[in-house]
Amino acid sequence: MGRKVTLATCSLNQWALDFDGNSERILTSIEIAKSHGAKYRLGPELEICGYGCADHFYESDTLLHSFQVLRKLLESPVTQDIICDVGMPIMHRNVRYNCRVLFLNRKILLIRPKMRMANNGNYRELRWFSPWNQLRCVEEYFLPRMIQEVTGQDTVPFGDCVLSTKDTCIGSEICAELWDPRSPHIDMGLDGVEIFTNSSASHHELRKADQRVNLIKSATNKSGGIYLYANQRGCNGERLYYDGCAMVAVNGDVVARGAQFSLDDVEVVTATLDLEDVRNYRGEVCHPHMEREPKPYHRIKVDFCLSTGDDIYLPTYQPITWQFQTPEEEISLGPACWLWDYLRRSGQAGFLLPLSGGVDSSSTACIVHSMCVLVCQAVRDSNSQVLEDVRRIVGDTSYCPQEPRELCGRIFTTCYMASENSSEGTRNRAKDLANQIGSSHMNINIDMAVKGMLGIFSMVTGKWPQFRANGGSTRENLALQNVQARIRMVLAYLFAQLSLWAQGKPGGLLVLGSANVDESLTGYFTKYDCSSADINPIGGISKADLKSFLLYCMEQFQLTALTGILAAPPTAELEPLTDGEVSQTDEEDMGMTYSELSVIGRLRKISKCGPYSMFCKLIHTWKDALSPMQVALKVKHFFRMYSVNRHKMTTVTPSYHAESYGPDDNRFDLRPFLYNTRWTWQFRCIDNQVCQMEAGNAHHQ
């Protein structure tokens, strides 16, 4: 009958500038797509060079090597008899574009440049690429000689055009174009395009997956059509984790999908669909509104069919229900996959974590344990790449992990760094958790190092600082806390470098951090303390979400040691104990609760609130608990803390990006780090508003 088409999309774990690995993963995905009967294969955005090349996009080498890979793909017998849609940077008339290259049987059909750039939040595409602003315009692109030698073509179409096969019409979107208020699929659909494709590099963020799925469903719900979505997967060499979710939708329903979190480097999703379903849908729902744009899309014709003449017995895919993961499951899986990518690509032999027995470091430990669970499951599922990576990491070519706890013991070292201010409770909680997850655990006492540092200071100055509890000043008290915290950082790196050496084993360990997003927001940590690590899997996660995550781990992984950790008050344990008990708590030190910080953080970043507008919102949000004066004090206290400590964000450990209000100074949250911390004008506006409200209340009484 010639109306059913089998299409393939994929999620690939591409790595910036890994041209060898990237090209092999692309070829593998095409091979799998063909084995499933697909005649069209879509891949992620900039898959040839990797999306995260950043300023390497400026280098001519990146363009050169991308074309060299394209030539390899064109010449490969694997790419014959299937339309391949790959992503790479291309310079046209001395302007750099983020492009899709569609080719078939050693011929390039068209090059489609990205038209709407992602340039907010974590994305800076306009720094490296220009958008193609010429709607419906197509120019000639002169191919490099190395490509001409393969294709026999001098020029190919370059611009805003669509591909017309003998049986249907295909149009491309690229990532952010789907999120644009006027997405290209709208006009393409009105011009008769039946298959839309979207090659993406979309990162994971807690509670975001449903937005992506709903956008893709709505893209074909109003005017019909087939929508293919491909996405990057994994750690591309930066703070983001790209979370797959390759999918196929038709007429508003998802009919096939891939995993959001997985250790598979290549995942191909195929679906067989009936073009008549699209035509019937449009004929009834959209017929009165279908109209040709003043300037129709330029169609590139290709003598090729996606369908076959004898497809009567070919079953088509049916709608499926998307089961979204809970935030706790997302925390368990996303950062774990990110850690695995970082570990296997870093060349190190494992992780070291200073485990304090509190919620934050315990959360990091549980994420490593979750990573070991995923690795063991992947090995059981015959993932040869994961097994090869594990053997290289542990330095044993015959090793095969049997269960997560045993793997943890080989690649994960935890250490409790005690001081005279540490309680027996936190020591025991750290030991119990380490025992349950199976990490190699050490107890280290730092008092000797602390006294040595203070002795050097005393020898030079003739002064010995005292804690506030012993009559010292606030400055002395803070300095004594900081020296403990910084010595822990120095010792963590020492043991990370030499602990395996001391056991006669090769390699070093990556130091893991455990400062949460709320502490980073206020600067409630010591600069260059244990928050200074190689990477931090929880740096973009709120305290509230981490507590929920640990509750999930208690049940999911049977980690009963977490019960006591969750029940204990959060504390840095840097001040003297009172009768052997903790006298210092985090929330008391910060002057606000973690739940209040989450609200404030979202207002600051997501709602774009300065001090005054934040106050104006919070007097309503917190009206049942706080008076306007109390709200004003909280807001002013936060902004003083935030501005005094903002300099710490310039050196904060690279963290997994998971939260939309994160304060990461590297790319996501660009702010000054030297403020007028008095905020005189802003705070005066708040004070004036409080006075007006109090006067109004007095008048009404």
Side-chain angles (χ1 to χ4, degrees):
M1 294 179 66
R3 60 187 226 180
K4 294 177 183 175
V5 295
T6 301
L7 309 169
T9 182
C10 61
S11 296
L12 303 183
N13 194 332
Q14 304 299 74
W15 189 12
L17 304 176
D18 179 23
F19 293 99
D20 280 316
N22 292 349
S23 61
E24 289 306 314
R25 286 183 283 271
I26 292 170
L27 285 170
T28 300
S29 70
I30 295 171
E31 196 168 21
I32 295 171
K34 287 178 68 176
S35 71
H36 292 169
K39 296 286 186 162
Y40 182 98
R41 176 269 182 200
L42 175 73
E45 186 175 9
L46 294 168
E47 60 188 303
I48 285 180
C49 59
Y51 182 80
C53 294
D55 280 0
H56 290 289
F57 283 123
Y58 289 135
E59 299 167 3
S60 60
D61 280 11
T62 304
L63 298 171
L64 169 66
H65 299 326
S66 294
F67 271 113
Q68 289 170 336
V69 171
L70 179 60
R71 174 171 176 148
K72 175 183 176 180
L73 298 176
L74 286 163
E75 292 178 326
S76 172
V78 171
T79 64
Q80 302 305 296
D81 301 321
I82 182 172
I83 296 176
C84 298
D85 185 338
V86 299
M88 61 182 282
I90 290 178
M91 185 170 281
H92 174 55
R93 297 184 178 179
N94 295 332
V95 179
R96 193 181 301 101
Y97 295 100
N98 175 347
C99 296
R100 302 304 300 173
V101 179
L102 281 70
F103 63 90
L104 170 69
N105 295 337
R106 299 168 69 101
K107 299 287 184 183
I108 293 177
L109 305 175
L110 64 90
I111 299 174
R112 201 283 202 176
K114 191 170 184 178
M115 303 175 69
R116 295 168 178 84
M117 315 308 290
N119 208 58
N120 64 329
N122 288 293
Y123 298 97
R124 292 290 179 273
E125 289 182 7
L126 285 175
R127 179 178 174 90
W128 309 297
F129 300 108
S130 293
W132 182 259
N133 292 321
Q134 303 176 63
L135 296 178
R136 314 289 194 279
C137 287
V138 180
E139 297 177 353
E140 283 188 318
Y141 175 75
F142 286 82
L143 292 170
R145 186 177 303 163
M146 74 173 84
I147 304 299
Q148 292 180 22
E149 292 170 356
V150 177
T151 66
Q153 301 164 290
D154 294 328
T155 63
V156 294
F158 184 103
D160 184 19
C161 52
V162 297
L163 187 67
S164 185
T165 65
K166 295 173 75 172
D167 49 2
T168 188
C169 189
I170 306 166
S172 298
E173 286 188 327
I174 305 177
C175 198
E177 294 173 357
L178 170 65
W179 302 75
D180 192 89
R182 184 156 189 188
S183 297
H185 70 258
I186 298 170
D187 290 339
M188 287 192 291
L190 293 174
D191 197 23
V193 174
E194 295 178 327
I195 300 172
F196 311 108
T197 67
N198 187 301
S199 54
S200 191
S202 180
H203 69 280
H204 170 241
E205 202 168 83
L206 292 176
R207 306 173 179 89
K208 172 188 169 184
D210 63 320
Q211 300 175 32
R212 182 191 296 150
V213 173
N214 290 336
L215 274 172
I216 289 168
K217 290 168 66 175
S218 68
T220 58
N221 187 48
K222 289 182 285 188
S223 60
I226 296 167
Y227 203 103
L228 272 69
Y229 175 81
N231 194 21
Q232 168 94 10
R233 167 177 287 157
C235 171
N236 193 217
E238 52 188 340
R239 291 161 171 79
L240 304 181
Y241 176 79
Y242 299 94
D243 59 339
C245 293
M247 70 186 91
V248 182
V250 58
N251 298 340
D253 291 317
V254 175
V255 296
R257 60 159 292 188
Q260 183 176 13
F261 307 106
S262 172
L263 300 189
D264 294 337
D265 283 348
V266 177
E267 182 185 34
V268 177
V269 176
T270 57
T272 300
L273 304 158
D274 194 334
L275 294 172
E276 288 301 312
D277 289 340
V278 174
R279 293 158 188 166
N280 292 339
Y281 187 94
R282 287 179 171 177
E284 178 181 0
V285 177
C286 309
H287 177 72
H289 310 292
M290 296 289 279
E291 59 184 36
R292 186 173 295 277
E293 288 288 313
K295 187 176 181 181
Y297 279 86
H298 180 75
R299 278 167 160 73
I300 307 298
K301 296 178 182 178
V302 55
D303 185 17
F304 187 74
C305 288
L306 298 184
S307 59
T308 60
D310 56 348
D311 59 10
I312 186 67
Y313 296 108
L314 198 61
T316 56
Y317 280 56
Q318 300 302 310
I320 60 174
T321 301
W322 194 293
Q323 299 294 332
F324 294 103
Q325 268 133 351
T326 65
E328 294 78 20
E329 290 171 325
E330 290 184 86
I331 295 170
S332 175
L333 297 170
C337 292
W338 183 75
L339 281 181
W340 175 246
D341 271 353
Y342 200 101
L343 175 60
R344 69 190 180 114
R345 288 171 170 171
S346 69
Q348 299 303 299
F351 297 116
L352 181 138
L353 171 69
L355 183 61
S356 69
V359 166
D360 294 336
S361 61
S362 298
S363 296
T364 296
C366 287
I367 288 171
V368 176
H369 177 73
S370 178
M371 182 198 80
C372 292
V373 171
L374 292 175
V375 168
C376 290
Q377 184 60 53
V379 171
R380 284 194 293 271
D381 293 340
S382 303
N383 188 318
S384 58
Q385 182 63 59
V386 170
L387 181 58
E388 179 186 326
D389 290 334
V390 171
R391 288 173 171 173
R392 188 181 66 254
I393 290 166
V394 302
D396 183 348
T397 56
S398 63
Y399 173 67
C400 187
Q402 299 300 314
E403 55 95 19
R405 192 172 180 278
E406 174 258 338
L407 176 59
C408 244
R410 282 187 174 248
I411 65 172
F412 189 31
T413 299
T414 53
C415 55
Y416 181 82
M417 298 189 183
S419 75
E420 60 187 15
N421 302 316
S422 302
S423 67
E424 198 63 30
T426 54
R427 183 198 304 268
N428 291 335
R429 288 192 286 272
K431 179 183 176 183
D432 290 345
L433 180 60
N435 182 58
Q436 289 187 3
I437 65 176
S439 65
S440 175
H441 189 66
M442 299 180 288
N443 280 306
I444 303 169
N445 191 292
I446 69 170
D447 287 336
M448 184 186 303
V450 172
K451 287 182 171 62
M453 290 288 287
L454 293 176
I456 293 172
F457 177 82
S458 178
M459 185 170 61
V460 173
T461 65
K463 300 281 189 180
W464 193 282
Q466 298 293 325
F467 281 105
R468 183 166 42 209
N470 299 328
S473 65
T474 299
R475 180 168 292 277
E476 291 171 77
N477 196 66
L478 187 58
L480 288 173
Q481 294 182 66
N482 287 343
V483 73
Q484 297 171 72
R486 289 179 176 132
I487 282 172
R488 285 182 172 131
M489 183 271 290
V490 172
L491 287 171
Y493 272 98
L494 177 64
F495 277 87
Q497 284 186 294
L498 294 180
S499 59
L500 293 182
W501 166 80
Q503 301 170 46
K505 298 177 182 178
L509 303 175
L510 292 165
V511 179
L512 295 180
S514 54
N516 63 62
V517 69
D518 298 321
E519 289 173 348
S520 295
L521 188 61
T522 58
Y524 183 67
F525 60 90
T526 299
K527 200 173 186 178
Y528 305 117
D529 69 347
C530 279
S531 65
S532 296
D534 292 311
I535 49 174
N536 179 1
I538 69 163
I541 305 173
S542 71
K543 191 77 161 189
D545 280 339
L546 290 175
K547 288 182 176 179
S548 298
F549 165 63
L550 290 187
L551 285 170
Y552 165 83
C553 290
M554 283 174 56
E555 182 175 342
Q556 181 71 13
F557 303 130
Q558 301 300 303
L559 300 176
T560 55
L562 295 173
T563 304
I565 290 168
L566 282 164
T571 174
E573 288 197 334
L574 295 171
E575 295 189 46
L577 302 174
T578 302
D579 298 326
E581 297 296 325
V582 172
S583 60
Q584 175 190 28
T585 65
D586 293 351
E587 292 184 336
E588 184 179 329
D589 278 355
M590 291 189 296
M592 57 185 66
T593 65
Y594 280 107
S595 59
E596 289 171 342
L597 268 176
S598 290
V599 173
I600 285 173
R602 287 182 168 87
L603 288 175
R604 181 198 71 97
K605 177 65 178 175
I606 302 173
S607 300
K608 315 295 188 292
C609 286
Y612 179 72
S613 54
M614 184 181 292
F615 165 78
C616 291
K617 289 182 181 294
L618 287 177
I619 55 174
H620 301 288
T621 304
W622 290 345
K623 67 179 185 300
D624 295 333
L626 300 173
S627 68
M629 176 61 78
Q630 290 171 317
V631 172
L633 291 174
K634 292 261 186 196
V635 170
K636 289 193 282 187
H637 177 63
F638 166 76
F639 274 97
R640 284 194 196 97
M641 273 204 306
Y642 161 77
S643 55
V644 164
N645 290 317
R646 181 65 193 187
H647 65 94
K648 296 179 182 180
M649 293 311 300
T650 62
T651 61
V652 76
T653 296
S655 301
Y656 180 97
H657 177 88
E659 189 56 80
S660 54
Y661 69 92
D664 173 29
D665 186 63
N666 174 264
R667 181 182 296 180
F668 183 68
D669 188 46
L670 304 182
R671 314 269 175 154
F673 55 85
L674 178 62
Y675 280 91
N676 179 345
T677 59
R678 294 183 298 277
W679 300 84
T680 51
W681 188 284
Q682 295 90 332
F683 287 0
R684 190 161 60 246
C685 288
I686 293 175
D687 292 339
N688 291 340
Q689 189 64 53
V690 169
C691 289
Q692 290 179 29
M693 295 177 74
E694 289 179 343
N697 290 337
H699 175 73
H700 289 304
Q701 291 174 356

